[in-house]
Amino acid sequence: MTARLMPTPDVLLGDKFKENCSGHGRYLLAKCRCDRLYYGPRCQYRDECIDSKDCGDHGKCYDIGGTSAPRKQCYCELGWFGQDCSKRSPMKSTELDFASYTKRELSNTFHLYWRILHDLGEVEMVMVVNSTSYVGLGWRPRSLTATCKNFPDLQDLGTPQ
């Protein structure tokens, strides 16, 4: 008696599979050729910029050396924000009137302030942190579920000999 493998409904046989490069590139010569700003074996990661031209007249592109996407990000001049630093912010100095913000004390060394800018349809947040390390704040759109993972494929290269 010989065993026969039956494909599961979510696994396609090689002759039925067509690589789509996550919709951000073309499959050519057995490799994804990614569209501008996209990278990864399946073009699944996106940087905000390649160079400072992508950040408009009020920002600069920096490679932050991160281990997750985006690796390159636009950093805007004071008074500007948005993905390409093209939206004008009401914030004109680093001096803030914290009375106009809602405060949330996340720990005794981490305070989060925010306010809604109704005319811009934006939320402005300020973090005040006493730390000797990096601090980050992130959230995801409601349309993404907890199953959405956009993490890079990290490989353990073992302990150096």
Side-chain angles (χ1 to χ4, degrees):
M1 177 188 247
T2 59
R4 191 170 133 193
L5 295 175
M6 298 297 292
T8 60
D10 59 339
V11 177
L12 297 176
L13 296 175
D15 61 340
K16 303 280 188 221
F17 175 74
K18 181 171 173 24
E19 176 62 69
N20 70 357
C21 302
S22 303
H24 303 293
R26 294 181 326 270
Y27 193 67
L28 183 64
L29 302 174
K31 184 178 179 182
C32 284
R33 309 296 176 182
C34 300
D35 296 339
R36 192 172 193 287
L37 299 178
Y38 289 89
Y39 65 98
R42 297 193 63 240
C43 305
Q44 70 269 38
Y45 305 116
R46 183 183 189 277
D47 279 335
E48 289 181 3
C49 53
I50 292 174
D51 55 42
S52 291
K53 287 181 256 177
D54 296 318
C55 302
D57 294 333
H58 302 286
K60 291 193 187 276
C61 182
Y62 289 97
D63 185 340
I64 61 171
T67 58
S68 64
R71 296 178 302 191
K72 291 184 174 181
Q73 297 179 354
C74 289
Y75 283 83
C76 304
E77 296 170 358
L78 183 63
W80 297 90
F81 72 103
Q83 193 166 7
D84 60 355
C85 302
S86 62
K87 295 182 179 180
R88 188 179 294 276
S89 170
M91 192 166 138
K92 301 295 182 224
S93 82
T94 56
E95 298 298 317
L96 298 175
D97 175 15
F98 285 108
S100 63
Y101 292 82
T102 301
K103 177 183 177 183
R104 175 82 183 251
E105 186 172 315
L106 301 174
S107 75
N108 60 346
T109 60
F110 191 147
H111 300 158
L112 179 67
Y113 298 84
W114 76 91
R115 67 180 176 173
I116 298 173
L117 305 173
H118 294 282
D119 54 331
L120 296 173
E122 298 283 343
V123 175
E124 182 178 77
M125 294 186 152
V126 178
M127 295 186 300
V128 177
V129 182
N130 183 9
S131 174
T132 58
S133 182
Y134 294 99
V135 176
L137 176 70
W139 61 87
R140 65 173 136 226
R142 288 183 183 171
S143 61
L144 296 181
T145 66
T147 61
C148 176
K149 305 277 190 238
N150 192 16
F151 302 116
D153 183 21
L154 300 177
Q155 298 176 2
D156 185 1
L157 302 177
T159 307
Q161 299 297 327

